[in-house]
Amino acid sequence: MPNTLLPNYFELFDLPIQYAVDDECLKERYHKLQSNFHPDRFLDSTEQEKRIALHYTALINEAYTVLKSPIKRAKYLLELQQIDLSEENVGHMAPEFLMQQMDLHERLAMLSNAVSQSAELVAIDADLQQQFSQLANEFIECYQNSNFLGAKKQFEKMQFIDKLISLVKQKNYALCD
Amino acid sequence: MTLLSISEPNSIIQPRKKNVAGIDLGTTNSLIAVVDDKPLILSNEDDNSILPSVVYYPKSGDPVVGEAAKKFIVTEPEHVITSVKRLMGRGIEDVAQIASLIPYKIDQKSQQGMVYLETSQGPKSPVQVSAEILKVLAHRAEVFFGEPLEKVVITVPAYFDDAQRQATKDAANLAGLSVLRLLNEPTAAAIAYGLDRDETSTIVVYDLGGGTFDVSVLQLKQEVFHVLATAGDTALGGDDFDHRIVEWFIDQTGFDRLDADNLKKIKQIASDAKELLTQKDSAILAYDIEGVQLKATLTREIFEQLIADYLKTTLTICHQALTDAELDVVDIDHIILVGGSTRIPAVRSSVETFFHKPPMIDLDPDQVVAQGAAIQADILSGNQAGNEMLLLDVLPLSLGIEIAGGLVEKIIPRNSTIPAMRSKTFTTSKDGQVAIALSVVQGERELVDDCRALAKFELRGIPPMVAGAARIEVTFQVDADGLLTVSAKELTSGVKNQIVMKPSYGLTDEEMASMIKASYTHAKEDLVARKLQQARIDAQQLIDSLEQAIKQDGENLLTADELGNLEEKMIALGELQCSSHDDALIMNKIQELSQESEEFAAKRMNLAIRKLLSGRSIDTV
């Protein structure tokens, strides 16, 4: 199928191209799309219709995965503006930011798997979440003003924080075991 | 079903209820169910609903399946195959790990790739053995309907990988069954429970069967069952508990000169003791050998100690599923128990402790999967008009490709909702290179050797270019059955690559074809006639659906030229379909017309999506 015909993820969900997304609305539309276009609804159709239904359902699934994840959504917004995200350089990042991240990394690494550490973990998590939403706000501001390179810089920081957040999750998992 | 009008031009006619069934093809026992007002498990003439998944191959004559086959475990254990599900889609090196659990012999024929079992009727693949079980089940349905069984939903453990799923589907095809859907067992159980769809609820299904453990986390909202995560172990189940009892028994009696046949019989005694312990506090195991009686008393307490580490493993897996679903124990509204092994009191109590909530046990854990499969079959086949239930399941294990250094690059991560599709672009490393080899793997580890090799692909027909110039887009597509297909295209030239697939643990298409052919009782002409008839039906269906589509959106979405071109091709196909006896030619022309109308179909899809969602906002305002 010609890719040019496919709608972008926001169009697919009939949503404005922006960072802010209402989770409930997204989920509702996702269910609605799936309920109508899932291959299960095309079991008696022609091979062609089956193929297209499969293709679109996969696209709807992929779009939903991207739109519901703040970090993936930010990345996709930049990709829509043809911003090149391939190079992974931290060279231009502010030293204070990098220092801060290394510090958090260290705090995480120091944690043993003892349950007594869970309070510390909760504190780190809260700290990270707060940093992430702050960065997201800056991202939104840059993006709205068509300052896509500025948005990219915020995104790169968001990526850092996001990785730390998943580290915290893993720690949490190990802790409960 | 908004789009039904596109696909079913004859929908004015009230459709006949279709003869469909749900099959639980289990490690230990199998069942078949249909929906007759409500789900109904079908029994044989002797009123047995459970069919033991046991196949006995006599020296001549038809294989014996079920309870009757079980009797031969005592007299001819070497000719009886049990727990064959554990070998589905498995290789010889996997079998080595569970060899002590399967006291039958592996045939010499299995070297690399698929396992063959030695039987008195020659080597048999697990697919063939499973097909025998399926045939017996299908027969029950045909007796019930008094007509041929049209389609089935077959359940598989959620954690089955691609090779295991494919093997299951192959077995169905070999048994002459048309598969509507492979359905994950925990999901089937959730359907069977038919929880209140008016409120949103989060459900954990804990499925501990004879040979496999699965856990799925689902969210039910209105009509949609959305699986959020699944985890499991395809080699953990009641079989392992039996094995622990056997080891304990040998240890207790001090008698260790047991051959495979004796072990098989003792394993049966162990299994009986385990069942007794669900009701009683102790069970006596006794076995006569070489003129002495081996005897030991197994208490429930000892038994619970024997399996404690297995139970702990299942809870760790539950935790993993919850983490993947980004949920906590407190978020769970219901816990459903599935599988015979959940009758064990220790299993129930450990689940209750973990989730701080008693599990639901209203439905028979042995029957619930088959019941759910029957309901799904009924809905998918259109028998339940107005039932809009939709299942969104996930890929249990990540799919990836081998890259340099024996590393895996993940293409589709585990717990992605299916259907899923992802592409990845590769290039050539040498000037003039016309082919590249790719190895597809499934699993979570970073090294290829730690993942399961699914298939090797060779992409041929790449136009010769300088190294690095070719751009080969490889697309992974996972359908609603969780089955993978891979396609490839060279982007600079648009050449579609031929893919030569070698499944690592499955049957090749040729092997399948020859097995199906051999199993056909019909004459060859019959087969040819059937293929022609199918091609004609397909052609007419495509023409009808296009006519309908043009009527609705032709004016909107097609230029006069495009419309003229399509109509010309439709007429040509219509004529060919009536006059030609060449099924391959007809199929070829169907393909052409499909291709030709692809853009139109995609545009209609976009239009339908826009209509659906804009309709929604108007509704809610």
Side-chain angles (χ1 to χ4, degrees):
Chain A
M1 183 174 320
N3 281 330
T4 46
L5 277 178
L6 297 177
N8 80 42
Y9 298 167
F10 290 96
E11 286 166 6
L12 188 61
F13 278 79
D14 194 25
L15 291 167
I17 299 179
Q18 63 180 36
Y19 179 82
V21 164
D22 176 351
D23 285 346
E24 274 309 304
C25 165
L26 183 69
K27 194 182 206 171
E28 189 193 317
R29 291 185 186 193
Y30 171 66
H31 284 170
K32 190 146 194 168
L33 286 171
Q34 283 290 7
S35 294
N36 282 273
F37 302 112
H38 193 275
D40 280 3
R41 309 297 197 219
F42 294 84
L43 289 176
D44 289 325
S45 305
T46 60
E47 285 306 316
Q48 181 189 45
E49 285 166 311
K50 283 182 191 167
R51 201 172 54 239
I52 289 176
L54 183 64
H55 200 116
Y56 268 82
T57 315
L59 182 76
I60 292 164
N61 280 330
E62 178 72 21
Y64 181 60
T65 310
V66 168
L67 294 184
K68 79 172 176 195
S69 150
I71 192 75
K72 286 180 184 155
R73 193 164 67 227
K75 184 170 183 231
Y76 185 69
L77 281 166
L78 292 171
E79 282 168 357
L80 282 180
Q81 303 299 335
Q82 323 285 333
I83 304 294
D84 182 18
L85 299 167
S86 55
E87 13 119 44
E88 281 223 14
N89 69 57
V90 292
H92 62 269
M93 282 198 171
E96 312 87 80
F97 179 79
L98 290 174
M99 285 297 284
Q100 209 182 353
Q101 301 320 309
M102 273 162 65
D103 193 45
L104 274 169
H105 254 289
E106 229 158 78
R107 263 168 82 190
L108 270 178
M110 297 270 286
L111 285 181
S112 68
N113 283 348
V115 182
S116 60
Q117 306 276 335
S118 64
E120 167 78 348
L121 208 54
V122 170
I124 296 176
D125 192 44
D127 190 3
L128 288 170
Q129 300 290 356
Q130 204 251 329
Q131 279 195 56
F132 191 91
S133 51
Q134 205 175 329
L135 288 168
N137 283 335
E138 286 162 35
F139 176 91
I140 293 170
E141 175 140 5
C142 290
Y143 201 87
Q144 275 172 350
N145 295 323
S146 300
N147 173 10
F148 301 125
L149 287 176
K152 179 185 169 184
K153 280 193 181 135
Q154 302 309 323
F155 165 73
E156 282 165 346
K157 287 184 193 167
M158 285 158 76
Q159 255 185 325
F160 258 93
I161 307 287
D162 187 65
K163 273 183 194 146
L164 281 169
I165 291 174
S166 37
L167 265 178
V168 169
K169 266 191 201 133
Q170 277 172 27
K171 271 274 176 198
N172 212 354
Y173 173 48
L175 221 98
C176 297
D177 230 17
Chain B
M1 268 180 257
T2 328
L3 275 193
L4 251 189
S5 51
I6 298 180
S7 49
E8 285 196 356
N10 300 325
S11 60
I12 319 113
I13 304 159
Q14 185 66 31
R16 176 185 61 85
K17 211 166 169 344
K18 298 197 181 92
N19 297 332
V20 296
I23 292 177
D24 173 4
L25 184 61
T27 308
T28 322
N29 296 311
S30 297
L31 295 104
I32 186 165
V34 297
V35 174
D36 187 33
D37 289 330
K38 55 183 200 288
L40 175 71
I41 305 276
L42 301 180
S43 306
N44 63 0
E45 309 81 68
D46 301 331
D47 227 20
N48 287 324
S49 56
I50 284 178
L51 178 73
S53 305
V54 180
V55 181
Y56 164 68
Y57 283 93
K59 290 211 170 51
S60 63
D62 287 339
V64 179
V65 182
E67 209 56 57
K70 228 171 158 179
K71 292 186 187 123
F72 292 97
I73 293 178
V74 183
T75 52
E76 298 176 57
E78 71 279 13
H79 295 139
V80 182
I81 295 175
T82 56
S83 300
V84 72
K85 189 175 180 179
R86 295 199 117 165
L87 302 179
M88 293 290 269
R90 285 293 179 241
I92 190 91
E93 64 278 13
D94 302 302
V95 174
Q97 288 178 8
I98 52 169
S100 60
L101 295 169
I102 41 161
Y104 36 80
K105 294 187 185 106
I106 302 301
D107 193 86
Q108 299 286 329
K109 193 177 162 188
S110 28
Q111 291 168 344
Q112 282 265 296
M114 187 160 220
V115 177
Y116 283 85
L117 305 169
E118 200 179 288
T119 79
S120 44
Q121 294 187 11
K124 298 282 177 195
S125 75
V127 168
Q128 285 169 299
V129 179
S130 299
E132 295 302 336
I133 299 168
L134 289 171
K135 280 184 209 164
V136 173
L137 293 169
H139 178 70
R140 289 184 184 180
E142 296 187 342
V143 170
F144 176 81
F145 290 121
E147 282 175 33
L149 176 60
E150 289 170 83
K151 282 178 175 162
V152 292
V153 166
I154 300 183
T155 60
V156 290
Y159 218 54
F160 253 20
D161 66 31
D162 190 75
Q164 292 168 304
R165 283 167 199 269
Q166 191 59 59
T168 306
K169 205 167 181 181
D170 287 348
N173 289 337
L174 198 56
L177 297 173
S178 166
V179 180
L180 266 172
R181 172 64 34 86
L182 295 178
L183 178 63
N184 289 333
E185 287 161 10
T187 316
I191 295 174
Y193 264 88
L195 297 158
D196 188 358
R197 294 192 202 158
D198 291 333
E199 44 189 305
T200 305
S201 58
T202 307
I203 306 147
V204 165
V205 183
Y206 178 103
D207 180 356
L208 187 59
T212 54
F213 173 67
D214 271 331
V215 56
S216 288
V217 184
L218 300 93
Q219 214 150 50
L220 174 59
K221 194 181 181 192
Q222 285 156 357
E223 317 276 30
V224 182
F225 273 90
H226 193 174
V227 178
L228 301 176
T230 192
D233 186 336
T234 49
L236 195 172
D239 270 4
D240 300 282
F241 302 172
D242 296 347
H243 188 59
R244 281 278 163 86
I245 298 175
V246 173
E247 280 175 348
W248 171 85
F249 184 68
I250 292 169
D251 194 46
Q252 289 291 304
T253 58
F255 194 96
D256 55 7
R257 303 183 303 281
L258 295 161
D259 59 13
D261 290 357
N262 281 309
L263 275 175
K264 204 177 221 175
K265 291 174 198 162
I266 293 175
K267 192 168 168 276
Q268 188 58 48
I269 291 170
S271 177
D272 293 344
K274 176 185 71 181
E275 273 172 39
L276 195 65
L277 285 176
T278 62
Q279 308 292 334
K280 300 248 159 61
D281 290 333
S282 69
I284 296 166
L285 287 82
Y287 188 67
D288 294 319
I289 186 167
E290 296 172 15
V292 292
Q293 189 183 50
L294 310 177
K295 201 171 164 188
T297 303
L298 181 63
T299 63
R300 197 185 267 186
E301 200 185 337
I302 297 171
F303 174 60
E304 287 174 4
Q305 283 165 15
L306 291 176
I307 62 166
D309 61 324
Y310 283 130
L311 298 190
K312 189 157 185 288
T313 304
T314 66
L315 296 178
T316 307
I317 294 171
C318 286
H319 195 133
Q320 191 201 322
L322 286 178
T323 308
D324 285 351
E326 301 188 356
L327 293 171
D328 281 319
V329 164
V330 291
D331 299 321
I332 305 305
D333 300 307
H334 307 286
I335 302 115
I336 292 175
L337 293 186
V338 187
S341 300
T342 61
R343 289 184 197 281
I344 297 169
V347 172
R348 291 190 178 179
S349 61
S350 66
V351 169
E352 183 165 348
T353 310
F354 182 83
F355 287 101
H356 310 298
K357 205 170 262 155
M360 305 211 300
I361 44 171
D362 311 74
L363 297 178
D364 183 335
D366 287 320
Q367 299 193 347
V368 62
V369 168
Q371 288 170 347
I375 296 169
Q376 174 72 344
D378 213 44
I379 294 171
L380 286 180
S381 63
N383 282 351
Q384 296 191 9
N387 190 335
E388 303 269 299
M389 187 197 84
L390 181 73
L391 260 189
L392 298 171
D393 222 310
V394 295
L395 179 74
L397 295 152
S398 303
L399 287 165
I401 218 156
E402 177 176 0
I403 53 168
L407 294 172
V408 178
E409 175 160 344
K410 282 183 190 165
I411 308 277
I412 305 183
R414 77 155 190 263
N415 285 326
S416 295
T417 305
I418 54 174
M421 196 179 314
R422 281 272 175 89
S423 297
K424 171 95 196 143
T425 309
F426 293 87
T427 190
T428 47
S429 58
K430 289 190 188 113
D431 288 345
Q433 190 177 339
V434 291
I436 57 172
L438 292 172
S439 169
V440 179
V441 299
Q442 191 163 25
E444 305 315 314
R445 308 282 291 276
E446 282 172 16
L447 293 175
V448 166
D449 289 347
D450 297 329
C451 290
R452 174 153 297 271
L454 287 183
K456 289 200 189 312
F457 291 92
E458 224 180 87
L459 309 179
R460 293 182 192 153
I462 301 168
M465 288 181 235
V466 291
R471 283 177 61 224
I472 301 122
E473 185 186 64
V474 178
T475 302
F476 278 47
Q477 181 180 291
V478 180
D479 65 16
D481 289 326
L483 291 173
L484 170 72
T485 39
V486 181
S487 60
K489 197 160 98 179
E490 204 287 306
L491 295 173
T492 57
S493 63
V495 172
K496 280 219 171 176
N497 301 92
Q498 297 163 274
I499 290 190
V500 182
M501 179 176 160
K502 279 191 214 124
S504 305
Y505 298 103
L507 299 163
T508 60
D509 286 351
E510 292 81 56
E511 280 174 299
M512 251 329 270
S514 79
M515 271 159 86
I516 289 175
K517 224 180 230 166
S519 74
Y520 255 115
T521 44
H522 313 278
K524 196 173 169 249
E525 298 82 63
D526 196 22
L527 201 66
V528 172
R530 248 215 263 190
K531 275 170 105 176
L532 178 62
Q533 195 195 5
Q534 192 57 52
R536 285 179 169 165
I537 292 172
D538 288 356
Q540 197 53 49
Q541 201 191 6
L542 179 62
I543 295 167
D544 289 348
S545 101
L546 279 173
E547 270 173 3
Q548 187 80 8
I550 288 171
K551 213 162 94 190
Q552 285 176 358
D553 296 317
E555 231 173 275
N556 254 338
L557 301 175
L558 292 171
T559 64
D561 278 358
E562 285 168 340
L563 180 65
N565 178 31
L566 270 187
E567 283 181 333
E568 194 180 303
K569 289 221 159 74
M570 282 157 66
I571 292 166
L573 179 62
E575 281 166 3
L576 182 78
Q577 180 266 112
C578 292
S579 60
S580 171
H581 291 269
D582 183 348
D583 62 282
L585 180 68
I586 298 175
M587 289 311 277
N588 209 324
K589 292 289 169 192
I590 292 176
Q591 197 74 43
E592 263 184 49
L593 182 56
S594 298
Q595 210 99 84
E596 198 75 33
S597 55
E598 191 98 343
E599 193 175 318
F600 177 45
K603 280 182 182 163
R604 294 192 73 222
M605 195 68 158
N606 290 341
L607 192 67
I609 289 173
R610 270 206 304 281
K611 272 189 188 155
L612 176 75
L613 290 183
S614 56
R616 187 212 68 88
S617 21
I618 293 163
D619 284 346
T620 47
V621 165

